[in-house]
Amino acid sequence: MITQMVKEVIKLKKYLVFIERKETFAGNSIPEHRNFIQTLRERQVLITAGGFADQSGGAYLISADTLEEALAIVHQDPMYVENECLYKVKEWLA
């Protein structure tokens, strides 16, 4: 894909977004979270995403120029906004 080639040329960094459900997790924001993930996929920001087999949370991998940009993206995630999960964002050197 041309967009993927452009990302390779400008060397966007990768950020792993690790999500862990809190004990108070109700799951009300899951549909909106899935829509958000799909939007990231359509914008070609998302590299991959998925839930953990034990249902304790999940992770997604995004591309961004800086940690601040990655955090700005994550702060739009409906599950982050609802504060039902703990989020950790780390630059990933994969």
Side-chain angles (χ1 to χ4, degrees), residues 17-74:
V17 182
F18 181 88
I19 305 165
E20 185 177 5
R21 292 178 178 178
K22 293 181 179 180
E23 289 183 23
T24 56
F25 181 79
N28 296 331
S29 58
I30 288 176
E32 292 85 4
H33 167 75
R34 288 182 178 152
N35 289 338
F36 172 75
I37 293 296
Q38 181 60 33
T39 300
L40 294 180
R41 183 175 287 114
E42 290 166 1
R43 290 177 34 211
Q44 299 182 343
V45 172
L46 181 72
I47 298 168
T48 193
F52 300 140
D54 66 0
Q55 302 294 308
S56 63
Y60 54 94
L61 186 62
I62 59 175
S63 57
D65 287 321
T66 64
L67 176 60
E68 291 75 19
E69 181 183 343
L71 289 171
I73 292 167
V74 169

